[in-house]
Amino acid sequence: MKRNINHRDVGARVKAGRKSAGLTQLEIGNQIGVTKGAISQWESGAAIDYKADNILRLAQALKICPYKLLYNDSSASVTDEKLNNKAVIFALKVIDTIDVKVRDAQGDNWCSNIFSKAYNIYCMTPNTDKAPPSISLLTALLV
């Protein structure tokens, strides 16, 4: 079964998180560097292109794991209290590159498994600031 992002559900989590934080669309937009219109599109489910760095900033502002924000799933075994931001972006990019046919073959938990593995590989690779792991190579190895 393919794991897709449900844009309306993401929007509902964004809106609930923003309201829980007591922020307006303008305030959260200013905080993460996007327009009020972008926040409105995310909340309505109209946005279909989620850039990893925007998701990371939004998740940090809402104090929620980016993976949980996108998939409402905290099953990824990323347990650090303070997430490695570059590793999260890397893991989200790896997920984005996986071919749909490969996703279908991986089963229901493919996304959380790949996210966890990519995150952990990035964190365990020495000198990732100088030479991060190859996304295409890692994608091929993980699936």
Side-chain angles (χ1 to χ4, degrees), residues 10-21:
V10 172
R13 287 189 289 278
V14 170
K15 187 173 186 175
R18 176 182 62 77
K19 287 189 176 250
S20 175

Side-chain angles (χ1 to χ4, degrees), residues 6 14 23 37 53 62 64 78-79 90 107:
N6 183 316
V14 170
L23 298 169
D53 54 343
L62 299 177
I64 184 172
V78 176
T79 56
F90 178 79

Side-chain angles (χ1 to χ4, degrees), residues 4-78:
N4 290 320
I5 295 174
N6 183 316
H7 303 292
R8 287 190 186 128
D9 289 348
V10 172
R13 287 189 289 278
V14 170
K15 187 173 186 175
R18 176 182 62 77
K19 287 189 176 250
S20 175
L23 298 169
T24 66
Q25 290 178 338
L26 180 63
E27 289 169 332
I28 195 84
N30 287 341
Q31 193 175 5
I32 67 171
V34 299
T35 65
K36 175 186 173 192
I39 299 297
S40 176
Q41 285 188 325
W42 289 343
E43 288 184 359
S44 71
I48 58 170
D49 183 21
Y50 300 106
K51 294 182 180 163
D53 54 343
N54 286 342
I55 289 297
L56 178 61
R57 287 193 304 270
L58 180 60
Q60 288 173 326
L62 299 177
K63 296 179 177 37
I64 184 172
C65 174
Y67 185 82
K68 184 162 178 64
L69 179 65
L70 289 175
Y71 300 103
N72 197 29
D73 183 350
S74 56
S75 65
S77 60
V78 176

Side-chain angles (χ1 to χ4, degrees), residues 128-140:
T128 51
D129 286 338
K130 295 178 183 172
S134 163
I135 290 175
S136 59
L137 175 60
L138 184 60
T139 300

